[in-house]
């Protein structure tokens, strides 16, 4: 008896990340597997659990609580936005579970990793909206026991890697712009921006002119936000675009930026660092470049010396 197979028709692709079919389904080629939270991680002793922040739209988070010295101990809080080009990865993935276990353990910090909606199922600006909603929920929550019993809201940090760092930057502008404020008068103590994803229609610093239109960042942005006003010069991806909010209003007193020497986004991180310094922003910004390393190396290979040094620097920032 002859067998028949049905081949789904491709609608659009973002090689090598994912493919969208005409029936609306999405096939992702990259990203680590989902793992459950742990009552106690055997390597770090960190406990984790999942919570729902919003049912509609669905926004959730994974919380990481390090071993406590006493049951009344208060810890700095880090609200973390994962990377993945706005279309990959998860707060519940193996890579981020492992990475944030280490961060929580070394920093003695309560980490809240946000599970925001991904493109292409939810085009931007959905991720920004989810990130902002989650930040407001966390600072207003009176029902989440780990936050209430162990979170020190006087040491309240935000951050992320790549697209997650971009989302954190957006939140800083909203907090500092004079219109939006976090509940309960919570102030952001600092921001951690690792390999931040920014781009523009024109190359900067040492970025090559040839091939700029076909750059990975350009292709990603067009895919995840096809209707972006201004395209690649939308202020969400180009913080120095005409009409973009001034970096002078960034809503925290200190920012730590990491770039990697072999990362395509390396010059963008340096460019952003220089722009913050020149903006008139009244805070401390530090740039750390890790020579010879690739994009997000500390997440993929946390066991290396460079990764350990980077994570130790992050831990010392979260005080």
């Amino acid at each position: 008896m002859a067998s028949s197979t049905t081949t789904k028709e491709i609608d659009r692709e973002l090689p090598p990340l994912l493919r969208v079919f005409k029936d609306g389904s999405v096939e992702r080629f990259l990203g680590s597997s989902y793992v459950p939270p742990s009552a106690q991680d055997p390597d770090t002793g960190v406990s984790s659990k999942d919570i729902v922040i919003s049912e509609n739209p669905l926004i959730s988070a994974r919380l990481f609580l390090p071993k406590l010295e006493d049951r009344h101990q208060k810890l700095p809080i880090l609200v973390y936005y994962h990377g993945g080009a706005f279309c990959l990865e998860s707060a519940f993935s193996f890579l981020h579970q492992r990475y944030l276990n280490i961060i929580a353990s070394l920093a003695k910090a309560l980490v809240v990793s946000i599970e925001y909606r991904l493109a292409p199922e939810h085009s931007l600006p959905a991720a920004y909206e989810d990130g902002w909603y989650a930040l407001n929920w966390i600072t207003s929550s009176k029902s989440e026991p780990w936050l209430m019993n162990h979170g020190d809201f006087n040491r309240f940090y935000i951050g992320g890697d790549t697209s997650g760092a971009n989302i954190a930057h957006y939140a800083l502008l909203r907090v500092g712009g004079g219109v939006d404020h976090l509940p309960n008068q919570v102030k952001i103590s600092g921001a951690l921006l690792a390999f931040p994803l920014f781009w523009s229609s024109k190359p900067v610093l040492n970025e090559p002119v040839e091939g700029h239109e076909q750059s990975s960042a350009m292709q990603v942005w067009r895919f995840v936000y096809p209707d972006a006003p201004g395209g690649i010069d939308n202020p969400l991806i180009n913080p120095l675009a005409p009409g973009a909010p001034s970096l002078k209003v960034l809503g925290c007193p200190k920012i730590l930026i990491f770039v990697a020497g072999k990362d395509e986004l390396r010059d963008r991180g340096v460019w952003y660092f220089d722009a913050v310094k020149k903006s008139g922003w009244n805070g401390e910004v530090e740039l750390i470049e890790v020579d010879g390393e690739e994009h997000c190396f500390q997440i993929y290979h946390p066991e290396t010396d460079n990764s350990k040094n980077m994570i130790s620097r992050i831990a010392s920032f979260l005080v």
Side-chain angles (χ1 to χ4, degrees), residues 1-317:
M1 185 176 192
S3 63
S4 63
T5 59
T6 301
T7 302
K8 294 197 292 185
E9 192 173 355
I10 297 171
D11 181 52
R12 54 197 176 109
E13 295 181 284
L14 181 61
L17 305 184
L18 55 79
R19 173 182 296 156
V20 182
F21 297 95
K22 289 199 171 178
D23 65 2
S25 60
V26 178
E27 182 180 11
R28 289 177 167 85
F29 303 117
L30 298 178
S32 59
S33 59
Y34 282 50
V35 294
S38 173
Q40 187 173 75
D41 176 62
D43 295 323
T44 62
V46 171
S47 301
S48 55
K49 67 176 179 179
D50 297 340
I51 61 170
V52 174
I53 291 173
S54 166
E55 295 281 0
N56 187 22
L58 182 59
I59 308 169
S60 50
R62 179 162 291 180
L63 276 62
F64 297 81
L65 183 69
K67 279 185 178 179
L68 300 172
E69 295 174 5
D70 67 72
R71 61 191 183 94
H72 301 294
Q73 185 179 0
K74 291 287 190 176
L75 307 168
I77 300 168
L78 170 63
V79 177
Y80 176 85
Y81 302 105
H82 70 80
F86 299 105
C87 60
L88 297 174
E89 275 297 327
S90 165
F92 308 138
S93 73
F94 164 75
L95 286 175
H96 287 95
Q97 174 79 3
R98 180 180 64 180
Y99 176 57
L100 294 177
N101 273 334
I102 297 170
I103 294 285
S105 175
L106 288 182
K108 296 297 180 187
L110 173 56
V111 181
V112 186
S113 181
I114 306 304
E115 180 75 345
Y116 53 86
R117 289 173 291 169
L118 298 179
E121 295 93 335
H122 305 280
S123 295
L124 295 181
Y128 296 103
E129 294 166 353
D130 293 356
W132 179 249
Y133 185 95
L135 202 58
N136 279 265
W137 185 92
I138 292 164
T139 50
S140 64
S141 175
K142 297 188 183 302
S143 60
E144 208 311 296
W146 285 7
L147 285 170
M148 294 304 299
N149 296 332
H150 303 296
D152 182 353
F153 285 90
N154 292 314
R155 294 183 289 166
F156 186 79
Y157 295 85
I158 67 172
D161 291 81
T162 67
S163 52
N166 178 297
I167 294 171
H169 160 80
Y170 168 77
L172 290 177
L173 289 176
R174 288 197 67 163
V175 168
V179 176
D180 295 306
H181 301 281
L182 294 177
N184 298 317
Q185 299 183 321
V186 173
K187 306 295 184 186
I188 297 176
S189 301
L192 165 67
L193 307 181
F195 326 108
L197 173 57
F198 298 119
W199 210 250
S200 65
S201 58
K202 304 295 182 185
V204 302
L205 302 181
N206 296 314
E207 291 173 353
V209 174
E210 185 176 352
H212 186 76
E213 283 290 323
Q214 289 75 45
S215 61
S216 298
M218 190 88 79
Q219 293 181 52
V220 164
W221 186 252
R222 289 169 175 162
F223 193 90
V224 300
Y225 199 178
D227 300 323
I232 196 65
D233 286 318
N234 183 285
L236 291 172
I237 190 70
N238 178 2
L240 298 185
S246 171
L247 299 179
K248 184 178 181 179
V249 304
L250 289 167
C252 70
K254 62 177 184 176
I255 299 173
L256 178 60
I257 302 168
F258 286 94
V259 298
K262 292 183 177 180
D263 187 2
E264 181 184 44
L265 297 176
R266 181 262 176 199
D267 284 357
R268 286 292 157 167
V270 176
W271 171 76
Y272 177 78
F273 166 75
D274 290 339
V276 171
K277 284 201 303 181
K278 296 173 183 176
S279 69
W281 173 66
N282 187 26
E284 294 183 16
V285 58
E286 180 180 358
L287 175 71
I288 297 178
E289 178 168 3
V290 186
D291 293 328
E293 290 290 0
E294 305 280 356
H295 186 69
C296 289
F297 65 93
Q298 88 289 3
I299 295 178
Y300 294 105
H301 306 289
E303 73 285 352
T304 68
D305 287 342
N306 279 340
S307 295
K308 290 177 180 178
N309 290 337
M310 177 174 171
I311 294 170
S312 292
R313 183 63 188 88
I314 292 171
S316 67
F317 183 75

